Amino acid sequence: MKKENEFHGLQHERDALMQTKRKQATRRSLRSWANLALADECLGGLQTPTAKTCAARLSVVPDTTEEEIEALAPTMGIINGIRLSLTLWSLIGLIILLMR
C-alpha cells in the first residue's frame, strides 16, 4: 500500500511537471509568434514607399529588325575594336611592368 501511494505520488508529480513544461513551451511559442508578428510589422513599415510610385506598365515592344542591326554594325565594330585595344595594351603594360 505504501509503495502504491509513493507510485501515485511520483506519477502525480511527474504529471504536474509535464503540465508545467507544456505551459512554458506554449508561452515560449506564443512569445515567438508575437515577436515574429512584431518584426513583420516593423519591416512592413520600413518597406512602404514615402513617395507615390507609378505602377509598372507592360507594353509590347516591336522586335529589332535586321535593318537596325545592320545600321549598328559599324558602331559595334568600333566598340569591339576599342575593347580589344584596351585589353592588348593592358597586357603589354603588364608584361613591361613585370620585366623591370
Side-chain angles (χ1 to χ4, degrees), residues 11-88:
Q11 189 166 1
H12 180 67
E13 285 178 25
R14 190 185 70 172
D15 291 342
L17 183 62
M18 291 297 289
Q19 188 176 12
T20 304
K21 285 184 179 180
R22 274 191 231 120
K23 284 181 182 178
Q24 288 174 348
T26 304
R27 282 189 205 125
R28 268 189 253 125
S29 176
L30 290 175
R31 268 184 283 177
S32 297
W33 280 103
N35 289 341
L36 183 62
L38 181 62
D40 185 46
E41 186 68 28
C42 291
L43 287 176
L46 291 173
Q47 291 176 347
T48 54
T50 55
K52 292 183 180 180
T53 57
C54 298
R57 293 185 203 166
L58 298 177
S59 60
V60 178
V61 178
D63 289 335
T64 306
T65 62
E66 287 186 28
E67 293 172 358
E68 292 172 337
I69 293 173
E70 289 176 10
L72 293 175
T75 307
M76 292 303 295
I78 292 170
I79 291 173
N80 286 334
I82 291 171
R83 289 171 50 194
L84 181 61
S85 175
L86 287 173
T87 304
L88 291 175

